């Protein structure tokens, strides 16, 4: 029987609760599909700082690199906000991405018909939305040098090299080939030199993908178009900070940030995580929505392990739970038949899979 080694990084806030539900669902799907998971937990974020003094212990990197995939919860919380920058949970996360070389962050925004009323936008605008944001994750202004801070001045540098743009562009075009074959590349080429290079290089790479239609859009316009007519987008290709912002915006088309998964992939190992944060305000109450994490586990099966049937089983079970009206509190006002706890939702999804 195939055995997959999964590193679990539960992290802070609601992280442990939602990971536990994803594990429940993974075990259910493993027993149906005849494979097995062995899990190894690793520390990161505030909890890692509290235990080891470092938000990203070396052991977490080596464990992750030695596994088949990483399933990640969430990190951060107000008690760590005043630490020096390099001790903060977010710094651990950025270093983790860099060390693992996960340069491509895939953030799907898919509107579930069952929750069409949960979005703040009109149903006719969002029905059928299916966007994939492909965000460059280990370059750009998040990592560029020089950067610094004095009492009266703070600065960061947005820098991209040709090589970095080439590899993320290939990812976007390859993903588009499996979807609706459209890539919209987002930049600010009317102002930024780095964006002019971005646009030129994306255009060059597109020559290798004649079956994919490439368009370019300025980031300010893209922010507007996302709420005006989101269905115009298939794959949105972005740099690090533009993708950070636009993927949060795209997530709200779908109603709840508690639904959306993500994958971060590169040359080595993939990291699969919900796009939401650690929600310290509701941690430990058993009310967090575990669906984004369960859907991330499905992406892990699909992209890292090639277990397509198992991934489909999870995705179908999520849809079934939503169509039958089981909701966590964040979605309680949208056609809920029954408001459930975090672990009830996990169990219902696991039961659907086992049946
Ligand atoms: C995200 C988050 C992170 C980012 C933070 C927590 C460093 O907002 O994954 O989108 O900005 O990349
Ligand atoms: Mg973000």
């Amino acid at each position: 029987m195939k055995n997959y080694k999964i590193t679990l990084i539960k992290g802070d806030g609601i992280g442990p609760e939602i990971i536990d539900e994803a594990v429940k669902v993974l075990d259910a799907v493993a027993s149906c599909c005849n494979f097995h998971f062995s899990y190894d937990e690793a520390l990161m974020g505030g909890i890692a700082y509290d235990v080891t003094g470092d938000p990203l212990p070396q052991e977490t990197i080596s464990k992750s690199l030695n596994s088949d995939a990483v399933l990640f919860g969430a990190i951060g919380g107000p008690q760590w906000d005043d630490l020096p920058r390099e001790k903060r949970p977010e710094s651990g996360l950025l270093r983790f991405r860099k060390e693992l070389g996960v340069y491509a962050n895939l953030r799907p925004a898919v509107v579930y018909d069952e929750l069409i009323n949960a979005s703040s936008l009109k149903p006719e605008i969002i029905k059928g939305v299916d966007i994939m944001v492909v965000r460059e994750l280990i370059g750009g202004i998040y990592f560029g040098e020089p950067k610094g801070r004095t009492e009266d001045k703070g600065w960061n540098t947005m820098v991209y090299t040709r090589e970095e743009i080439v590899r993320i562009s290939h990812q976007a075009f390859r993903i588009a080939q499996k979807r609706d074959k459209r890539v919209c590349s987002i930049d600010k080429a009317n102002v930024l030199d780095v964006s002019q290079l971005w646009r030129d290089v994306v255009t060059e790479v597109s020559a290798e993908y004649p079956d994919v239609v490439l368009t370019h859009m300025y980031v300010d316009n893209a922010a507007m178009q996302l709420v005006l007519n989101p269905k115009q987008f298939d794959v949105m290709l972005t740099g690090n900070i533009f993708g950070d912002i636009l993927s949060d915006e795209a997530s709200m088309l779908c109603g709840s940030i508690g639904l959306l998964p993500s994958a971060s992939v590169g040359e080595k190992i993939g990291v699969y995580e919900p796009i939401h944060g650690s929600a310290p305000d509701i941690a430990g109450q058993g009310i967090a929505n575990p669906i984004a994490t369960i859907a991330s586990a499905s992406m892990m099966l699909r992209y890292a392990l090639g277990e397509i049937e198992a991934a489909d089983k999870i995705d179908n079970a999520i849809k079934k739970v939503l169509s039958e009206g089981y909701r966590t509190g964040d979605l309680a006002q949208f056609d809920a038949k029954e408001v459930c706890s975090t672990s009830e939702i996990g169990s219902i999804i696991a039961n659907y899979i086992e049946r």
Side-chain angles (χ1 to χ4, degrees):
M1 189 148 70
K2 241 185 279 173
N3 182 46
Y4 296 115
K5 275 167 68 180
I6 308 298
T7 300
L8 297 178
I9 301 181
K10 294 184 173 180
D12 308 317
I14 60 171
E17 304 161 52
I18 54 179
I19 290 284
D20 286 348
E21 297 316 306
V23 167
K24 196 189 273 176
V25 170
L26 281 171
D27 285 339
V29 87
S31 64
C32 291
C33 296
N34 264 313
F35 50 82
H36 184 262
F37 290 111
S38 52
Y39 305 102
D40 196 4
E41 282 188 39
L43 292 178
M44 191 164 130
I47 172 115
Y49 172 78
D50 289 347
V51 174
T52 71
D54 183 350
L56 178 63
Q58 189 57 40
E59 194 193 13
T60 296
I61 300 169
S62 50
K63 273 188 183 174
S64 300
L65 288 172
N66 278 316
S67 56
D68 293 306
V70 178
L71 189 64
F72 187 98
I75 53 146
Q79 64 269 52
W80 301 288
D81 278 353
D82 295 329
L83 291 172
R85 179 163 304 285
E86 72 283 0
K87 297 283 183 202
R88 287 184 52 157
E90 292 81 2
S91 302
L93 177 60
L94 295 183
R95 250 167 58 217
F96 185 64
R97 291 171 175 170
K98 193 82 169 174
E99 294 268 358
L100 266 58
V102 288
Y103 63 82
N105 184 212
L106 318 181
R107 296 189 164 180
V110 179
V111 172
Y112 290 100
D113 279 349
E114 293 77 10
L115 291 175
I116 197 95
N117 295 318
S119 174
S120 54
L121 297 190
K122 294 193 188 93
E124 62 268 29
I125 304 279
I126 55 159
K127 189 170 168 48
V129 160
D130 182 355
I131 299 172
M132 178 70 90
V133 178
V134 177
R135 169 191 177 194
E136 200 290 327
L137 199 59
I138 56 173
I141 197 165
Y142 275 53
F143 293 91
E145 298 284 349
K147 62 178 176 202
R149 165 75 211 259
T150 63
E151 185 63 24
D152 303 311
K153 193 173 160 186
W155 62 100
N156 293 85
T157 304
M158 195 190 288
V159 52
Y160 272 115
T161 62
R162 169 176 294 274
E163 189 195 356
E164 287 172 323
I165 304 168
V166 165
R167 66 183 181 183
I168 191 69
S169 301
H170 281 298
Q171 281 280 357
F173 286 113
R174 283 200 296 264
I175 288 166
Q177 282 180 320
K178 296 193 199 123
R179 297 172 46 98
D180 202 36
K181 301 189 170 54
R182 292 179 290 128
V183 170
C184 181
S185 173
I186 310 299
D187 62 39
K188 189 72 187 173
N190 50 344
V191 176
L192 304 175
D193 296 295
V194 57
S195 278
Q196 284 164 7
L197 176 73
W198 179 278
R199 192 174 275 225
D200 290 347
V201 174
V202 173
T203 305
E204 281 167 36
V205 173
S206 75
E208 294 176 45
Y209 300 88
D211 53 330
V212 177
V213 176
L214 171 67
T215 52
H216 302 275
M217 197 179 275
Y218 298 138
V219 60
D220 49 349
N221 186 27
M224 183 183 80
Q225 295 294 334
L226 258 180
V227 286
L228 181 71
N229 176 20
K231 273 180 263 190
Q232 71 185 286
F233 296 110
D234 177 26
V235 172
M236 298 180 86
L237 166 60
T238 77
N240 205 343
I241 198 164
F242 297 160
D244 180 46
I245 298 163
L246 293 180
S247 63
D248 265 29
E249 188 185 355
S251 76
M252 268 298 115
L253 304 171
C254 310
S256 170
I257 200 161
L259 295 173
L260 296 178
S262 78
S264 302
V265 298
E267 279 114 26
K268 303 172 222 167
I269 189 96
V271 182
Y272 298 82
E273 60 178 301
I275 79 159
H276 60 71
S278 58
D281 52 324
I282 60 163
Q285 299 174 32
I287 58 172
N289 189 341
I291 290 182
T293 313
I294 294 169
S296 302
S298 161
M299 283 188 97
M300 178 180 89
L301 287 161
R302 193 180 300 282
Y303 292 100
L305 311 178
E307 297 286 355
I308 310 298
E309 191 197 329
D312 288 344
K313 272 187 200 286
I314 295 181
D315 292 349
N316 290 334
I318 291 173
K319 281 200 198 106
K320 188 148 189 241
V321 159
L322 294 175
S323 69
E324 301 209 333
Y326 298 108
R327 308 269 188 270
T328 38
D330 52 325
L331 296 169
Q333 71 270 46
F334 303 107
D335 313 316
K337 193 188 84 189
E338 198 177 319
V339 177
C340 303
S341 70
T342 308
S343 80
E344 281 166 342
I345 291 283
S347 298
I348 297 169
I349 292 176
N351 286 338
Y352 282 148
I353 290 168
E354 277 156 359
R355 258 196 257 132

